[in-house]
Coordinates of all heavy atoms in Angstrom, one line a residue:
M33 N 89.7 66.6 107.0 CA 89.5 68.0 106.8 C 89.8 68.4 105.4 O 90.9 68.1 105.0 CB 90.2 68.8 107.8 CG 89.9 70.3 107.8 SD 90.6 71.1 109.2 CE 92.4 71.0 108.9
S34 N 88.9 69.0 104.7 CA 89.2 69.4 103.3 C 89.6 70.8 103.2 O 89.0 71.7 103.8 CB 88.0 69.1 102.5 OG 88.2 69.7 101.2
C35 N 90.6 71.1 102.5 CA 91.1 72.5 102.3 C 90.2 73.2 101.3 O 90.3 74.3 101.1 CB 92.5 72.5 101.8 SG 93.7 72.1 103.1
L36 N 89.3 72.5 100.7 CA 88.3 73.1 99.8 C 87.2 73.7 100.5 O 86.4 74.5 99.9 CB 87.9 72.1 98.7 CG 88.9 71.6 97.8 CD1 88.4 70.6 96.9 CD2 89.6 72.7 97.0
D37 N 87.0 73.4 101.8 CA 86.0 74.0 102.6 C 86.3 75.5 102.9 O 87.4 75.8 103.1 CB 85.8 73.3 103.9 CG 85.2 71.9 103.6 OD1 84.7 71.6 102.5 OD2 85.4 71.0 104.5
N38 N 85.3 76.2 103.0 CA 85.4 77.6 103.5 C 86.5 78.4 102.7 O 87.2 79.2 103.3 CB 85.8 77.6 105.0 CG 84.7 76.9 105.8 OD1 83.5 77.0 105.5 ND2 85.1 76.2 106.8
R39 N 86.5 78.2 101.4 CA 87.5 79.0 100.7 C 86.9 80.3 100.4 O 85.8 80.4 99.7 CB 87.9 78.2 99.4 CG 88.9 79.0 98.5 CD 89.2 78.2 97.4 NE 88.0 77.9 96.5 CZ 88.1 77.0 95.5 NH1 89.1 76.3 95.2 NH2 87.0 76.9 94.8
L40 N 87.5 81.3 100.8 CA 87.0 82.7 100.5 C 88.0 83.6 99.9 O 89.1 83.5 100.1 CB 86.6 83.3 101.9 CG 85.4 82.6 102.7 CD1 85.3 83.2 104.0 CD2 84.1 82.7 101.9
K41 N 87.4 84.4 99.0 CA 88.3 85.4 98.4 C 88.3 86.7 99.3 O 87.2 87.2 99.7 CB 87.8 85.8 97.1 CG 87.7 84.6 96.1 CD 89.1 84.2 95.6 CE 89.0 83.2 94.5 NZ 90.3 82.7 94.0
V42 N 89.5 87.2 99.6 CA 89.6 88.4 100.4 C 90.3 89.5 99.6 O 91.4 89.1 99.0 CB 90.3 88.1 101.7 CG1 90.5 89.3 102.5 CG2 89.6 87.1 102.5
L43 N 89.8 90.6 99.5 CA 90.5 91.7 98.8 C 91.4 92.3 99.7 O 91.1 93.0 100.7 CB 89.4 92.7 98.3 CG 89.9 93.8 97.3 CD1 90.5 93.2 96.1 CD2 88.8 94.7 97.0
G44 N 92.7 92.3 99.4 CA 93.7 92.9 100.2 C 93.8 94.4 100.0 O 93.2 94.9 99.1
S45 N 94.5 95.1 100.9 CA 94.6 96.5 100.9 C 95.4 97.0 99.6 O 95.2 98.1 99.2 CB 95.3 97.0 102.2 OG 96.6 96.4 102.3
S46 N 96.2 96.1 99.1 CA 96.9 96.5 97.9 C 96.1 96.3 96.6 O 96.5 96.7 95.6 CB 98.2 95.6 97.8 OG 97.8 94.2 97.6
G47 N 94.9 95.8 96.8 CA 94.0 95.7 95.7 C 94.1 94.3 95.1 O 93.3 93.9 94.2
K48 N 95.0 93.4 95.6 CA 95.1 92.0 95.1 C 94.0 91.2 95.8 O 93.6 91.5 97.0 CB 96.5 91.5 95.5 CG 97.6 91.9 94.5 CD 98.8 91.2 94.7 CE 99.8 91.5 93.7 NZ 101.1 90.7 94.0
L49 N 93.6 90.2 95.1 CA 92.6 89.3 95.7 C 93.3 88.0 96.1 O 94.0 87.3 95.4 CB 91.6 88.9 94.6 CG 90.3 88.3 95.0 CD1 89.5 89.3 96.0 CD2 89.4 88.0 93.8
Y50 N 93.2 87.7 97.4 CA 93.8 86.5 97.9 C 92.8 85.4 98.3 O 91.6 85.8 98.6 CB 94.6 86.8 99.2 CG 95.7 87.8 99.0 CD1 95.6 89.1 99.5 CD2 96.8 87.5 98.2 CE1 96.6 90.0 99.3 CE2 97.8 88.4 98.0 CZ 97.7 89.6 98.5 OH 98.7 90.5 98.3
T51 N 93.2 84.2 98.2 CA 92.2 83.1 98.6 C 92.6 82.6 99.9 O 93.8 82.1 100.2 CB 92.4 81.9 97.5 OG1 92.2 82.4 96.3 CG2 91.4 80.8 97.8
C52 N 91.7 82.6 100.9 CA 91.9 82.1 102.2 C 91.2 80.8 102.5 O 90.0 80.7 102.1 CB 91.5 83.2 103.2 SG 92.5 84.7 103.2
Y53 N 91.9 79.9 103.1 CA 91.3 78.7 103.4 C 91.2 78.6 104.9 O 92.1 78.1 105.6 CB 92.2 77.5 102.9 CG 92.4 77.5 101.4 CD1 93.5 78.2 100.9 CD2 91.6 76.8 100.5 CE1 93.7 78.3 99.5 CE2 91.8 76.8 99.2 CZ 92.9 77.6 98.7 OH 93.1 77.6 97.3
S54 N 90.1 79.0 105.4 CA 90.0 79.1 106.9 C 89.9 77.7 107.5 O 90.4 77.6 108.6 CB 88.7 79.9 107.3 OG 87.6 79.3 106.9
S55 N 89.4 76.7 106.8 CA 89.3 75.4 107.4 C 90.6 74.8 107.7 O 90.8 73.9 108.6 CB 88.4 74.5 106.5 OG 89.0 74.4 105.3
C56 N 91.6 75.1 106.9 CA 92.9 74.5 107.1 C 94.0 75.7 107.4 O 95.1 75.5 107.4 CB 93.4 73.6 106.0 SG 93.6 74.4 104.4
H57 N 93.5 76.8 107.6 CA 94.3 78.0 108.1 C 95.4 78.3 107.1 O 96.6 78.2 107.4 CB 94.9 77.6 109.5 CG 95.3 78.8 110.3 ND1 94.4 79.5 111.1 CD2 96.5 79.4 110.4 CE1 95.1 80.5 111.6 NE2 96.3 80.4 111.3
F58 N 95.0 78.6 105.9 CA 96.0 78.9 104.9 C 95.6 80.0 104.0 O 94.4 80.1 103.7 CB 96.3 77.7 104.0 CG 97.4 77.9 103.0 CD1 98.8 77.8 103.4 CD2 97.1 78.2 101.7 CE1 99.8 78.1 102.5 CE2 98.1 78.4 100.8 CZ 99.4 78.4 101.2
C59 N 96.5 80.9 103.7 CA 96.2 82.0 102.8 C 97.3 82.1 101.7 O 98.4 81.7 102.0 CB 96.1 83.3 103.5 SG 95.7 84.7 102.5
T60 N 96.9 82.6 100.6 CA 97.9 82.6 99.5 C 98.7 83.9 99.4 O 99.5 84.0 98.5 CB 97.1 82.4 98.1 OG1 96.1 83.5 98.0 CG2 96.4 81.1 98.0
C61 N 98.5 84.8 100.4 CA 99.3 86.0 100.3 C 100.7 85.9 100.7 O 101.0 85.0 101.5 CB 98.5 87.1 101.1 SG 98.8 86.9 102.9
P62 N 101.6 86.8 100.3 CA 103.0 86.8 100.7 C 103.2 86.9 102.2 O 104.1 86.3 102.8 CB 103.6 87.9 100.0 CG 102.7 88.2 98.8 CD 101.3 87.9 99.4
A63 N 102.4 87.7 102.8 CA 102.5 87.9 104.3 C 102.4 86.6 105.1 O 103.1 86.3 106.0 CB 101.5 89.0 104.8
F64 N 101.4 85.8 104.6 CA 101.2 84.5 105.3 C 102.4 83.6 105.2 O 102.9 83.0 106.1 CB 100.0 83.8 104.8 CG 99.6 82.6 105.5 CD1 98.8 82.6 106.7 CD2 100.0 81.3 105.1 CE1 98.5 81.5 107.4 CE2 99.7 80.2 105.8 CZ 98.9 80.3 106.9
G65 N 102.9 83.5 103.9 CA 104.1 82.7 103.6 C 105.3 83.1 104.4 O 106.0 82.3 104.9
F66 N 105.5 84.4 104.5 CA 106.7 84.9 105.2 C 106.6 85.0 106.7 O 107.4 84.4 107.4 CB 107.0 86.3 104.7 CG 108.3 86.8 105.1 CD1 109.5 86.2 104.7 CD2 108.4 87.9 106.0 CE1 110.8 86.7 105.1 CE2 109.6 88.4 106.5 CZ 110.8 87.8 106.0
T67 N 105.6 85.7 107.3 CA 105.5 85.9 108.7 C 105.0 84.7 109.4 O 105.3 84.5 110.6 CB 104.7 87.2 109.1 OG1 103.3 86.9 108.6 CG2 105.2 88.4 108.4
V68 N 104.1 83.9 108.8 CA 103.5 82.8 109.4 C 104.3 81.5 109.2 O 104.7 80.8 110.2 CB 102.0 82.6 109.0 CG1 101.4 81.4 109.7 CG2 101.2 83.9 109.2
L69 N 104.5 81.2 107.9 CA 105.2 79.9 107.6 C 106.7 79.9 107.9 O 107.2 79.0 108.4 CB 104.9 79.5 106.2 CG 103.4 79.2 105.9 CD1 103.2 78.8 104.4 CD2 102.8 78.2 106.8
Q70 N 107.3 81.0 107.4 CA 108.8 81.1 107.6 C 109.3 81.5 108.9 O 110.1 80.9 109.5 CB 109.4 82.0 106.5 CG 109.3 81.4 105.1 CD 110.0 82.2 104.0 OE1 111.0 82.9 104.3 NE2 109.5 82.3 102.9
K71 N 108.7 82.6 109.4 CA 109.3 83.2 110.6 C 108.5 82.9 111.9 O 109.0 83.1 113.0 CB 109.4 84.7 110.4 CG 110.3 85.1 109.3 CD 110.5 86.6 109.2 CE 111.5 87.0 110.4 NZ 111.8 88.5 110.3
S72 N 107.3 82.4 111.7 CA 106.4 82.1 112.8 C 106.2 83.3 113.8 O 106.1 83.1 115.0 CB 107.0 80.9 113.7 OG 107.1 79.7 112.9
E73 N 106.2 84.4 113.2 CA 106.0 85.6 114.0 C 104.5 85.9 114.2 O 104.2 86.7 115.1 CB 106.6 86.9 113.3 CG 108.1 86.9 113.3 CD 108.7 88.1 112.7 OE1 108.0 88.8 112.0 OE2 109.9 88.3 112.9
S74 N 103.7 85.3 113.4 CA 102.2 85.6 113.5 C 101.5 84.3 113.3 O 102.0 83.3 112.7 CB 101.8 86.6 112.5 OG 100.4 86.8 112.6
L75 N 100.3 84.2 113.8 CA 99.5 83.0 113.7 C 98.6 83.1 112.4 O 98.2 82.0 111.9 CB 98.6 82.8 114.9 CG 99.4 82.4 116.2 CD1 98.4 82.4 117.3 CD2 100.1 81.1 116.0
L76 N 98.4 84.2 111.9 CA 97.5 84.4 110.8 C 97.8 85.7 110.1 O 98.3 86.6 110.7 CB 96.1 84.2 111.2 CG 95.4 85.3 111.9 CD1 93.9 85.0 112.1 CD2 96.0 85.6 113.3
C77 N 97.4 85.8 108.9 CA 97.5 87.1 108.2 C 96.1 87.8 108.3 O 95.1 87.2 108.8 CB 97.8 86.9 106.8 SG 96.5 86.1 105.8
K78 N 96.1 89.0 107.9 CA 94.9 89.8 108.1 C 93.7 89.3 107.2 O 92.5 89.5 107.6 CB 95.1 91.3 107.8 CG 95.6 91.6 106.4 CD 96.0 93.0 106.3 CE 96.5 93.4 104.9 NZ 97.0 94.8 104.8
H79 N 94.0 88.6 106.2 CA 92.9 88.1 105.3 C 92.2 86.9 106.0 O 91.0 86.8 106.0 CB 93.5 87.6 104.0 CG 94.4 88.6 103.4 ND1 95.8 88.4 103.2 CD2 94.2 89.8 102.9 CE1 96.3 89.4 102.7 NE2 95.3 90.3 102.4
I80 N 93.0 86.0 106.7 CA 92.4 84.9 107.4 C 91.6 85.5 108.6 O 90.5 85.0 109.0 CB 93.4 83.9 107.9 CG1 94.0 83.2 106.6 CG2 92.8 82.9 108.9 CD1 95.1 82.2 107.0
L81 N 92.2 86.6 109.2 CA 91.5 87.2 110.3 C 90.2 87.8 109.9 O 89.2 87.6 110.6 CB 92.4 88.3 110.9 CG 91.8 89.1 112.0 CD1 91.6 88.2 113.2 CD2 92.7 90.3 112.4
A82 N 90.1 88.4 108.7 CA 88.9 88.9 108.2 C 87.9 87.8 107.9 O 86.7 88.0 108.2 CB 89.2 89.6 106.9
V83 N 88.4 86.7 107.5 CA 87.5 85.5 107.3 C 86.9 85.1 108.6 O 85.7 84.9 108.7 CB 88.2 84.3 106.6 CG1 87.3 83.1 106.6 CG2 88.6 84.7 105.2
Y84 N 87.7 84.9 109.6 CA 87.2 84.5 110.9 C 86.3 85.5 111.5 O 85.2 85.1 112.1 CB 88.4 84.3 111.9 CG 89.2 83.0 111.6 CD1 90.6 82.9 112.0 CD2 88.6 82.0 111.0 CE1 91.3 81.8 111.7 CE2 89.4 80.8 110.8 CZ 90.7 80.7 111.1 OH 91.5 79.6 110.9
L85 N 86.6 86.7 111.4 CA 85.7 87.7 111.9 C 84.4 87.7 111.2 O 83.3 87.8 111.8 CB 86.3 89.1 111.7 CG 87.4 89.5 112.6 CD1 88.1 90.8 112.3 CD2 87.0 89.5 114.1
S86 N 84.3 87.6 109.9 CA 83.1 87.5 109.2 C 82.3 86.3 109.6 O 81.1 86.4 109.6 CB 83.3 87.5 107.6 OG 83.9 86.3 107.2
Q87 N 83.0 85.2 109.8 CA 82.3 84.0 110.2 C 81.7 84.1 111.6 O 80.6 83.7 111.9 CB 83.2 82.8 110.1 CG 83.5 82.4 108.7 CD 84.5 81.2 108.6 OE1 85.2 80.9 109.6 NE2 84.6 80.6 107.5
A88 N 82.5 84.7 112.5 CA 82.0 85.0 113.9 C 80.8 85.9 113.9 O 80.0 85.7 114.8 CB 83.2 85.6 114.7
M89 N 80.7 86.7 113.0 CA 79.6 87.7 112.9 C 78.4 87.0 112.2 O 77.3 87.6 112.1 CB 80.0 89.0 112.2 CG 81.0 89.8 113.0 SD 81.7 91.1 112.0 CE 80.3 92.2 111.8
G90 N 78.6 85.8 111.8 CA 77.5 85.1 111.2 C 77.1 85.4 109.8 O 76.0 85.1 109.4
A91 N 78.0 86.1 109.2 CA 77.7 86.5 107.8 C 79.0 86.8 107.1 O 79.9 87.2 107.6 CB 76.7 87.7 107.7
C92 N 78.9 86.5 105.8 CA 80.1 86.9 104.9 C 79.8 88.2 104.4 O 79.7 88.4 103.1 CB 80.3 85.8 103.8 SG 81.0 84.2 104.5
Q93 N 79.7 89.2 105.2 CA 79.5 90.5 104.8 C 80.9 91.2 104.5 O 81.9 90.7 105.0 CB 78.8 91.4 105.8 CG 77.4 90.9 106.1 CD 76.8 91.6 107.2 OE1 77.4 92.2 108.1 NE2 75.5 91.5 107.3
E94 N 80.9 92.2 103.8 CA 82.1 92.9 103.5 C 82.5 93.6 104.8 O 81.6 94.3 105.4 CB 81.9 93.9 102.4 CG 83.3 94.4 101.9 CD 83.1 95.2 100.6 OE1 82.4 94.6 99.7 OE2 83.7 96.3 100.4
L95 N 83.7 93.4 105.3 CA 84.1 94.0 106.6 C 85.2 95.0 106.4 O 86.3 94.6 105.9 CB 84.5 92.8 107.5 CG 84.7 93.1 108.9 CD1 83.4 93.6 109.7 CD2 85.3 91.9 109.6
T96 N 85.0 96.1 106.8 CA 86.1 97.1 106.7 C 86.7 97.4 108.0 O 86.1 97.8 109.0 CB 85.5 98.4 106.1 OG1 84.9 98.2 104.9 CG2 86.6 99.5 105.9
V97 N 88.0 97.0 108.1 CA 88.8 97.2 109.3 C 90.0 97.9 109.0 O 90.8 97.6 108.0 CB 89.1 95.8 109.9 CG1 89.9 96.0 111.3 CG2 87.8 95.0 110.2
S98 N 90.3 99.0 109.7 CA 91.5 99.7 109.4 C 92.7 99.0 109.9 O 92.7 98.0 110.7 CB 91.5 101.1 110.2 OG 91.6 100.9 111.5
E99 N 93.9 99.4 109.4 CA 95.2 98.7 109.7 C 95.4 98.8 111.3 O 95.8 97.9 111.9 CB 96.3 99.4 109.0 CG 96.3 99.2 107.5 CD 96.6 97.8 107.1 OE1 97.4 97.1 107.8 OE2 96.2 97.3 106.0
E100 N 95.0 100.0 111.8 CA 95.2 100.1 113.3 C 94.3 99.2 114.0 O 94.8 98.6 115.0 CB 94.8 101.6 113.6 CG 95.2 102.0 115.0 CD 94.9 103.4 115.3 OE1 94.3 104.1 114.5 OE2 95.3 103.9 116.4
Q101 N 93.1 99.0 113.6 CA 92.2 98.1 114.3 C 92.7 96.7 114.2 O 92.7 95.9 115.2 CB 90.8 98.1 113.7 CG 90.0 99.4 114.1 CD 88.7 99.5 113.3 OE1 88.7 99.5 112.1 NE2 87.6 99.7 114.0
L102 N 93.2 96.3 113.1 CA 93.8 95.0 112.8 C 94.9 94.7 113.8 O 95.1 93.7 114.4 CB 94.2 94.8 111.4 CG 93.1 94.4 110.4 CD1 93.7 94.4 109.0 CD2 92.7 92.9 110.7
T103 N 95.8 95.8 113.9 CA 97.0 95.6 114.8 C 96.5 95.4 116.2 O 97.1 94.6 116.9 CB 97.8 96.9 114.7 OG1 98.2 97.1 113.3 CG2 99.1 96.8 115.6
N104 N 95.5 96.1 116.6 CA 95.0 96.0 118.0 C 94.4 94.6 118.2 O 94.7 94.0 119.3 CB 93.9 97.0 118.3 CG 94.5 98.4 118.4 OD1 95.7 98.6 118.7 ND2 93.7 99.4 118.2
I105 N 93.7 94.1 117.2 CA 93.2 92.7 117.4 C 94.2 91.7 117.4 O 94.2 90.8 118.3 CB 92.2 92.5 116.2 CG1 91.0 93.4 116.2 CG2 91.8 91.0 116.1 CD1 90.1 93.3 115.0
L106 N 95.2 91.9 116.6 CA 96.3 90.9 116.6 C 97.1 90.9 117.9 O 97.5 89.9 118.4 CB 97.3 91.1 115.4 CG 96.6 90.8 114.0 CD1 97.5 91.2 112.9 CD2 96.5 89.2 113.9
L107 N 97.4 92.1 118.4 CA 98.1 92.3 119.6 C 97.4 91.7 120.7 O 97.9 91.0 121.7 CB 98.5 93.7 119.9 CG 99.5 94.3 119.0 CD1 99.7 95.8 119.2 CD2 100.9 93.5 119.2
A108 N 96.1 91.9 120.8 CA 95.2 91.4 121.8 C 95.3 89.8 121.9 O 95.3 89.2 122.9 CB 93.8 91.8 121.7
E109 N 95.2 89.3 120.6 CA 95.3 87.8 120.6 C 96.6 87.2 121.1 O 96.7 86.2 121.7 CB 95.0 87.3 119.1 CG 93.6 87.5 118.7 CD 93.3 86.8 117.4 OE1 94.2 86.2 116.9 OE2 92.1 86.7 117.1
E110 N 97.7 87.9 120.7 CA 99.0 87.4 121.2 C 99.1 87.5 122.7 O 99.7 86.6 123.3 CB 100.1 88.3 120.5 CG 100.3 87.9 119.1 CD 101.4 88.7 118.4 OE1 102.0 89.5 119.1 OE2 101.5 88.7 117.2
E111 N 98.5 88.6 123.3 CA 98.6 88.7 124.7 C 97.8 87.6 125.4 O 98.2 87.1 126.5 CB 98.0 90.1 125.2 CG 99.0 91.2 124.9 CD 98.4 92.5 125.1 OE1 97.3 92.6 125.6 OE2 99.1 93.5 124.8
E112 N 96.7 87.2 124.8 CA 95.9 86.1 125.4 C 96.7 84.8 125.4 O 96.5 84.0 126.4 CB 94.6 85.9 124.6 CG 93.6 87.0 125.0 CD 92.3 86.8 124.1 OE1 92.2 85.8 123.5 OE2 91.5 87.7 124.1
E113 N 97.5 84.6 124.4 CA 98.2 83.3 124.3 C 99.5 83.3 125.1 O 100.0 82.3 125.4 CB 98.5 83.0 122.9 CG 97.2 82.7 122.1 CD 97.5 82.7 120.6 OE1 98.7 82.8 120.2 OE2 96.6 82.6 119.8
A114 N 100.0 84.5 125.5 CA 101.2 84.6 126.2 C 101.1 84.0 127.6 O 100.0 84.0 128.2 CB 101.8 86.0 126.2
Ligands
LIG121 ZN1 96.5 86.6 103.6

């Protein structure tokens, strides 16, 4: 598996541009490093989620999701795995 596959740029809410590697589940943002890698509190950051959502919809369209919607999606995923 190559980490160079499926590399997408995701524009974060702070205006920073992050690089997400959906094929190996990695993102360059601080949230991924802290909540996912260090604390294992989350399985993915919102940028990777956005990449997965765009792929699931069959297109790399610009996807606008509010923070509230993202929270609901993340919580729903955690409940499924519990
Ligand atoms: Zn990220």
